Amino acid sequence: DKGIYPYYMLKEVDEQPVVIRRLVARYLTDDGQIKLGQAILDEMEAADHIYIVAAGTSYHAGLVGARMFEQWSNKPTSVYLASEFAYEQSILSQKPFFIFLSQSGETADSREVLQNVNEQGFHSLTLTNVEKSTLWREATYALPLMAGPEIAVASTKAYVAQVTLQAILAYALADANQMTFNLHEQLSEIAVAIQSIVDDKAVFEKVANQMLVPETTHSAFYIGRGADAAVALEAALKLKEISYVQAEGFAAGELKHGTLALIEEGTPVIALITQPKTAGLVRGNLSETTARGARPFTIVTKALAQTGDDYILPDVNPLLTPLVSVVPTQLLAYYTSLGRHLDVDRPRNLAKSVTVQ
Ligand code: F6R
């Protein structure tokens, strides 16, 4: 029931702090210890390479998770689109371990990969929102995303749950002496941070109406580097699927290799700037677009903010910033769809659970 909400999507965006708190309560103790089956951790520990397989928004969550498995757990990790990996499997490492990310647990492309993985005798873990779904049942292990039913076709809280649960797994696999922060504390702070963003809805409604709703806006760009590039892909997908604005998410450094040609007077370019190492470079790339007439909007963490920035995010661990930076992009997509008088929850041509290959 969507209660006071006009659309499920808005309700689900608002639920994100609760989803994080629920995952924290389920998987972490107060002092940051992990509550997970030892067998899962042992298998992941023993693996020499993690293969994350998913589609759409779940794939984008995997792009964020992979960075944590590599940078926190020192585990080589690759992320694959299920629809590609199913028919063109890469050369695998000696001891591979597979993670399937799927809100529905029924995505046909991911099921196809899992079937191949099972036939080859490899072990796997599914992270899904639907217990007893096919991917839940057929993987070696499964853990619930605990996001609660996601009704809107556009996935929001499941993405946040997938990133959070991967963070918990990566943290569990990491050498405790190397971890300079308490994940329980970090995630609790992030839940508060997301609450402050969803309380700022009017800001995003206004920006969407100014930049993205006008009929003269035919395309838009999200740019960023590192984890921000991964969020840019998700931000663009969300905008495309519910507002029908042609959008691209781009690794900011790639713009100059061709795509810059698309920038015209007034083209919205939204820059995500949360990564200390590359913040200056992204600003440089953004200036290259504004010099060609682009209309910029910056979403920046507090520590990296400069005068004139448009939306300031609270500071969190750099690899966890996707959990906060994605929220403004969800709201921008929502208000663009609303402003264009579209059915936010049921975009044309799409289904919630994709059971065809
Ligand atoms: C986008 C969206 C889709 C799904 C994709 C995978 O908002 O919802 O891109 O993420 O179809 O679905 P699941 O996660 O159910 O495997």
Side-chain angles (χ1 to χ4, degrees):
D1 179 20
K2 48 186 197 293
I4 54 161
Y5 288 95
Y7 287 101
Y8 279 105
M9 182 181 172
L10 198 61
K11 173 172 180 274
E12 290 162 4
V13 166
D14 271 7
E15 283 169 357
Q16 293 178 124
V18 176
V19 170
I20 291 182
R21 288 196 184 99
R22 209 182 282 147
L23 286 168
V24 166
R26 163 74 169 75
Y27 292 110
L28 291 171
T29 64
D30 289 348
D31 56 358
Q33 301 293 312
I34 310 288
K35 299 189 266 177
L36 268 176
Q38 195 56 39
I40 298 178
L41 292 178
D42 287 348
E43 287 227 31
M44 290 180 76
E45 196 86 61
D48 62 357
H49 200 114
I50 293 174
Y51 295 82
I52 298 175
V53 180
T57 289
S58 297
Y59 170 74
H60 297 154
L63 294 176
V64 174
R67 295 183 148 80
M68 301 172 187
F69 287 116
E70 293 217 324
Q71 294 178 40
W72 295 352
S73 331
N74 205 20
K75 202 53 97 181
T77 305
S78 310
V79 194
Y80 287 96
L81 288 167
S83 58
E84 288 293 306
F85 198 74
Y87 307 100
E88 204 172 52
Q89 183 176 295
S90 292
I91 296 177
L92 300 177
S93 68
Q94 292 295 312
K95 284 194 246 161
F97 186 79
F98 286 83
I99 297 180
F100 289 86
L101 301 177
S102 178
Q103 191 285 131
S104 63
E106 298 298 344
T107 297
D109 293 316
S110 301
R111 287 169 58 180
E112 179 76 21
V113 177
L114 179 53
Q115 206 173 325
N116 297 342
V117 163
N118 284 342
E119 277 164 18
Q120 294 168 86
F122 299 130
H123 284 183
S124 58
L125 164 66
T126 290
L127 308 185
T128 179
N129 208 23
V130 183
E131 296 184 30
K132 317 267 158 42
S133 58
T134 307
L135 290 169
W136 172 284
R137 284 185 278 108
E138 294 180 359
T140 323
Y141 306 101
L143 293 171
L145 292 170
M146 307 183 71
E150 193 180 62
I151 310 290
V153 164
S155 181
T156 53
K157 61 179 179 171
Y159 172 91
V160 157
Q162 286 167 342
V163 172
T164 304
L165 190 44
Q166 288 178 100
I168 291 168
L169 288 167
Y171 191 82
L173 285 182
D175 174 355
N177 300 322
Q178 306 274 312
M179 293 282 96
T180 52
F181 61 94
N182 176 323
L183 188 63
H184 187 292
E185 269 168 36
Q186 278 283 326
L187 289 173
S188 306
E189 281 170 32
I190 285 170
V192 174
I194 295 178
Q195 188 60 50
S196 73
I197 300 167
V198 299
D199 287 344
D200 265 350
K201 289 192 181 68
V203 173
F204 301 106
E205 180 165 25
K206 186 166 160 228
V207 174
N209 281 322
Q210 285 170 350
M211 286 182 48
L212 300 166
V213 171
E215 277 172 32
T216 46
T217 301
H218 300 294
S219 64
F221 293 84
Y222 278 95
I223 64 169
R225 290 183 185 227
D228 291 337
V231 176
L233 292 176
E234 172 54 13
L237 176 61
K238 214 90 305 174
L239 189 62
K240 281 184 276 200
E241 78 174 315
I242 61 170
S243 79
Y244 317 149
V245 172
Q246 167 81 52
E248 285 206 61
F250 243 81
E254 271 299 291
L255 278 180
K256 58 183 175 295
H257 297 292
T259 308
L260 203 53
L262 290 173
I263 303 296
E264 294 176 345
E265 198 59 41
T267 306
V269 178
I270 302 163
L272 301 163
I273 307 176
T274 74
Q275 303 298 307
K277 259 195 237 165
T278 52
L281 291 171
V282 177
R283 288 191 189 277
N285 301 137
L286 182 64
S287 321
E288 289 153 15
T289 71
T290 50
R292 275 107 186 149
R295 174 157 194 193
F297 187 80
T298 50
I299 299 174
V300 189
T301 41
K302 195 157 170 247
L304 300 173
Q306 296 180 358
T307 330
D309 276 330
D310 299 295
Y311 193 78
I312 314 296
L313 301 169
D315 290 314
V316 298
N317 181 297
L319 285 188
L320 292 170
T321 54
L323 291 173
V324 288
S325 62
V326 78
V327 182
T329 74
Q330 295 167 342
L331 289 167
L332 286 174
Y334 175 83
Y335 285 112
T336 307
S337 178
L338 201 67
R340 290 184 170 221
H341 310 293
L342 300 169
D343 185 342
V344 177
D345 285 341
R346 281 178 300 171
R348 68 188 181 202
N349 310 341
L350 298 173
K352 184 68 184 161
S353 184
V354 184
T355 50
V356 291
Q357 288 185 7

